[in-house]
Amino acid sequence: MILRFRGSDGQFRLTVQPTDEFPSLLSKILDNVPKDVDSSTITLSNKPANGEERLLVSLKGVTIERVGLQHGDQLYLKYQTQTTVPNGHYSSSLPHASSNRLNGVPILPTEDYPIAPPPQTSSTDNKNLWEIVQQSPLDNQLDKQDGKISRTRDQKMCRHGPKGMCDYCMPLEPYSPDYLAEKKIKHLSFHSHLRKINSATNKSELKSSYMPPLSEPYYRVKRDCPSGHPQWPEGICTKCQPSAITLQAQPFRMVDHVEFASPALINTLLDFWRRSGSQRIGYLYGHYDQYTEVPLGVKAVVESIYEPPQTGEVDGVSLHEWEDEQEIDEMARLCGLQKIGIIFTDLIDAGAGDGTVICKRHIDSYFLSSLEIAFAARFQAKNPKQTRWSDTGRFGSDFVTCVLSGDVDGNIAISAFQASNSAVEMVRADIVEPSADPSVMLVRGEEEDDGSISKTQYIPEVFYRRINEYGASVQENAKPSFPVEYLLVTLTHGFPTETNPLFVNPGFPIENRAMVGESQELKALSNYLGAGTKAKMGSRLAISDFHLLCYIHSLGILSKDEETLLCRVARTHDLSEEVSLQDTPGWATLMTILAESGERPPKRSLPSSLGPETGYRSDSEQLAKRVKGVSLR
């Protein structure tokens, strides 16, 4: 096959084999370029400008057929010339005269280093961010699916046979508006949205290089502006200042559904409010799975709710410093879980005595207050989603926010939300701030406290579109405030039809509940595990509780390997794993400590009614007469 090469000094052709590696072309390329070209600087690109450039010497092991080149394709060369010194020799560490061995095979820089080699650029530094990012296994699985929505043959409109296909029965794209309207799906799933914009960005028929279709919003002043002016706040130009922001409803959502593995998770959290009347916050630990009710959908499956240190009040919660957060995250990782969201209560008893609560969140007030949106946006900014479809290697977040509050019927209901990507960036850029009115968000001003213009804070123009009283779509200035609905994305929620939770034996005392007289102690652990009875001693079902695992970890008795085995037993409920756990020295030490710390049952005392008046001379005589009356047949 023939490949064409074009450089700054002209173009030429080379006859190559599809199985040839790119470094083997070095000698042929050097024969067609000027003699003073530095062979270590030769780069190949698929475009004359803004293409993917790779050093020729860094493509060791890469064949021509592997990159998809065909007969007649053209590549673009870039290189640098060697500078000369007064003695007439080249200053390059690899002169052209000695760049080939006697057999014609080129000497690669990785094979023959000079005495003082220049710093070599690693292959990782040459790669783009989206090429080295590690996606989740679920995202890799959804990327391989086509997502097409299959349809059966229409008996009225189809005129073809059973093996034919027409416009009325051909599969639909996952972002089909008609299908979404028919199924009443409000938002596109993330991967459906990705297919929609990628089909317009990277068209296969054009055979152009890959361009990431996603780009995160950026509302801050860009650093290292190429215009050459001083950095902000000393200087600014149109290239580095953020553009005006026009808010609109986000058409997609990163997570489509929140599924609680068991209703007991919600009841346990509500139990604190029932006993104290104070609100509560908990972190959701679980995993992500495919949601089949939505094309290419994703659901967050909640397996446990961990309550961090906090002070609950009637109208809110104050979070304290969580010192062992990383340790709890590590225990969750050993169980195959991760932190996927947060949940909090907002309940006020209606006072009717029938368990009803006051409905505060409805269509005429708000669903998530401006303070709660800023709260959720900060968590989403701390937990970005890794994806290879974005130019920065990340896009949005899978972190969800759930609220337990009263509905219009006075019942306790769950609501699930996410802050939009624009909301996350506006909070990160410090453009907005919560308002005393929960239904609106304030746009910050550039004035300092003394009224002067801030020299460090740059606030771009913010607009939003709404439907006016005449039914027309008009653009409004968001200053000083705008509705919070532009920053929200609603999710669905529910429970599985057949519950199959990961932790099958809940009931161990919840952490940080000393306010309601509930504490995690060795006595509670001894009673829960049944350390005094051999029948239940350390049963694999007894230890299947996430709060129990975290408390055992806090004792510091088990080693790292023993904790890994403990979490595996709690997750898989395997009998052989349980036997291996009971044979470990750490578990034996824990059982010994629990046996010594547990309360022993009191000795049975002789009631006064069975004293000398009963006619028995001693306790042994009374016991003998009881045994005599027992039949063994």
Side-chain angles (χ1 to χ4, degrees):
M1 59 184 295
I2 294 178
L3 290 181
R4 296 179 296 160
F5 294 83
R6 177 184 290 272
S8 58
D9 296 295
Q11 60 180 353
F12 56 93
R13 298 180 180 184
L14 293 180
T15 302
V16 298
Q17 297 296 328
T19 57
D20 290 346
E21 296 182 0
F22 280 96
S24 64
L25 306 179
L26 181 59
S27 60
K28 298 180 181 180
I29 293 177
L30 290 174
D31 294 335
N32 292 275
V33 296
K35 301 300 183 181
D36 59 343
V37 170
D38 189 353
S39 60
S40 62
T41 63
I42 296 178
T43 60
L44 298 178
S45 177
N46 58 344
K47 287 185 177 181
N50 299 326
E52 296 185 11
E53 297 183 359
R54 294 291 184 272
L55 282 172
L56 180 62
V57 295
S58 67
L59 297 175
K60 184 179 180 181
V62 180
T63 60
I64 295 176
E65 62 181 358
R66 179 178 174 183
V67 297
L69 292 177
Q70 298 179 358
H71 178 72
D73 286 349
Q74 180 168 278
L75 295 176
Y76 297 89
L77 293 174
K78 290 185 179 180
Y79 41 77
Q80 297 179 1
T81 58
Q82 300 167 332
T83 57
T84 59
V85 293
N87 59 4
H89 295 284
Y90 293 107
S91 63
S92 173
S93 59
L94 292 175
H96 173 65
S98 60
S99 61
N100 295 342
R101 293 191 179 93
L102 295 178
N103 58 3
V105 179
I107 302 175
L108 301 180
T110 56
E111 299 175 354
D112 188 11
Y113 288 107
I115 298 176
Q120 296 288 340
T121 304
S122 63
S123 59
T124 303
D125 296 336
N126 293 331
K127 292 184 178 180
N128 298 307
L129 292 176
W130 62 83
E131 296 176 329
I132 61 177
V133 69
Q134 296 293 330
Q135 290 190 145
S136 65
L138 177 60
D139 288 333
N140 293 332
Q141 174 187 344
L142 292 175
D143 285 345
K144 297 177 181 178
Q145 300 180 10
D146 60 0
K148 296 294 184 66
I149 304 170
S150 60
R151 294 188 295 175
T152 59
R153 184 172 179 270
D154 194 326
Q155 300 296 333
K156 296 182 179 179
M157 306 301 297
C158 294
R159 297 289 184 263
H160 53 77
K163 294 185 179 181
M165 183 180 296
C166 65
D167 292 341
Y168 298 100
C169 61
M170 65 182 300
L172 298 175
E173 294 291 343
Y175 47 84
S176 171
D178 297 335
Y179 179 83
L180 297 178
E182 178 185 353
K183 298 297 182 180
K184 297 182 179 180
I185 300 175
K186 186 176 180 181
H187 297 88
L188 283 172
S189 66
F190 168 69
H191 284 270
S192 297
H193 172 72
L194 182 60
R195 302 293 172 86
K196 180 178 180 180
I197 62 175
N198 189 50
S199 61
T201 304
N202 297 297
K203 296 182 179 181
S204 58
E205 60 271 14
L206 297 181
K207 296 183 179 180
S208 58
S209 61
Y210 169 77
M211 294 180 58
L214 298 177
S215 180
E216 279 195 310
Y218 193 84
Y219 302 148
R220 289 162 284 175
V221 178
K222 296 179 181 179
R223 297 293 179 181
D224 302 327
C225 182
S227 299
H229 60 75
Q231 296 292 338
W232 169 261
E234 285 76 14
I236 194 172
C237 69
T238 56
K239 293 183 179 180
C240 58
Q241 72 177 15
S243 304
I245 304 171
T246 302
L247 296 175
Q248 54 186 352
Q250 185 169 290
F252 65 93
R253 53 192 177 190
M254 307 299 296
V255 177
D256 302 279
H257 184 76
V258 180
E259 179 179 287
F260 293 89
S262 172
L265 296 173
I266 302 299
N267 292 330
T268 303
L269 185 66
L270 289 175
D271 184 61
F272 181 89
W273 172 77
R274 296 188 181 106
R275 296 166 63 181
S276 65
S278 301
Q279 310 304 327
R280 199 66 172 167
I281 281 183
Y283 286 99
L284 307 177
Y285 282 92
H287 56 89
Y288 298 100
D289 201 355
Q290 184 173 359
Y291 185 52
T292 56
E293 300 299 323
V294 175
L296 299 176
V298 175
K299 67 178 179 180
V301 182
V302 182
E303 297 287 354
S304 182
I305 300 178
Y306 188 91
E307 302 175 10
Q310 57 190 286
T311 300
E313 301 174 2
V314 177
D315 58 346
V317 177
S318 298
L319 287 175
H320 304 318
E321 184 179 359
W322 189 10
E323 298 179 353
D324 57 344
E325 180 178 4
Q326 295 183 354
E327 299 179 7
I328 301 302
D329 290 345
E330 177 63 18
M331 292 300 295
R333 188 191 66 81
L334 295 177
C335 296
L337 308 177
Q338 60 177 318
K339 191 185 298 176
I340 62 175
I342 195 168
I343 187 172
F344 58 89
T345 62
D346 184 20
L347 300 168
I348 299 179
D349 187 25
D354 54 356
T356 57
V357 294
I358 297 177
C359 177
K360 298 170 54 179
R361 302 167 187 262
H362 49 81
I363 192 172
D364 295 326
S365 60
Y366 65 95
F367 293 102
L368 207 63
S369 68
S370 57
L371 179 62
E372 294 162 351
I373 291 177
F375 181 71
R378 291 189 179 95
F379 277 104
Q380 291 180 210
K382 293 179 181 179
N383 299 272
K385 180 183 181 67
Q386 305 294 325
T387 176
R388 65 183 183 89
W389 300 99
S390 173
D391 53 359
T392 59
R394 59 182 183 271
F395 185 82
S397 174
D398 290 337
F399 200 87
V400 300
T401 301
C402 299
V403 186
L404 289 173
S405 187
D407 59 8
V408 293
D409 297 326
N411 301 320
I412 299 177
I414 307 173
S415 301
F417 303 95
Q418 275 192 310
S420 65
N421 292 352
S422 296
V424 174
E425 177 57 25
M426 293 178 75
V427 171
R428 186 189 286 118
D430 207 17
I431 296 176
V432 295
E433 60 182 348
S435 169
D437 184 355
S439 62
V440 298
M441 183 75 78
L442 295 177
V443 179
R444 286 182 178 271
E446 295 183 354
E447 296 80 11
E448 299 285 357
D449 295 336
D450 57 357
S452 61
I453 300 298
S454 174
K455 296 182 179 180
T456 58
Q457 181 74 7
Y458 183 87
I459 305 297
E461 293 292 334
V462 183
F463 302 95
Y464 69 96
R465 304 196 68 87
R466 69 176 183 89
I467 304 299
N468 62 6
E469 61 273 16
Y470 303 104
S473 176
V474 296
Q475 181 172 282
E476 298 283 349
N477 194 333
K479 293 182 179 181
S481 63
F482 62 92
V484 297
E485 286 78 11
Y486 290 90
L487 307 177
L488 270 184
V489 178
T490 58
L491 316 179
T492 60
H493 65 277
F495 300 92
T497 305
E498 297 180 359
T499 59
N500 185 24
L502 182 66
F503 303 108
V504 298
N505 191 33
F508 188 72
I510 309 299
E511 59 282 337
N512 303 311
R513 283 195 176 186
M515 178 180 178
V516 293
E518 185 176 346
S519 60
Q520 295 179 337
E521 300 175 349
L522 286 175
K523 175 184 174 182
L525 180 60
S526 176
N527 295 335
Y528 189 81
L529 293 180
T533 60
K534 295 182 179 180
K536 189 187 175 184
M537 186 173 181
S539 171
R540 61 187 184 279
L541 299 181
I543 62 177
S544 186
D545 187 304
F546 185 68
H547 307 281
L548 171 73
L549 301 178
C550 295
Y551 178 68
I552 292 178
H553 168 76
S554 66
L555 297 177
I557 299 176
L558 303 184
S559 65
K560 183 65 175 179
D561 295 337
E562 292 170 345
E563 286 184 351
T564 304
L565 181 59
L566 173 68
C567 294
R568 193 182 309 125
V569 172
R571 184 181 73 251
T572 61
H573 318 138
D574 186 78
L575 180 59
S576 61
E577 299 283 2
E578 178 196 4
V579 175
S580 301
L581 175 64
Q582 292 180 352
D583 291 339
T584 58
W587 185 259
T589 302
L590 177 61
M591 289 295 102
T592 302
I593 295 175
L594 296 181
E596 294 297 331
S597 62
E599 291 186 350
R600 296 191 176 118
K603 294 183 179 180
R604 180 179 298 174
S605 59
L606 182 66
S608 59
S609 59
L610 298 179
E613 300 82 13
T614 59
Y616 299 115
R617 292 187 296 273
S618 63
D619 294 344
S620 59
E621 182 181 356
Q622 177 186 358
L623 180 59
K625 290 186 177 293
R626 289 183 179 179
V627 174
K628 183 179 180 181
V630 175
S631 175
L632 299 178
R633 292 179 296 176

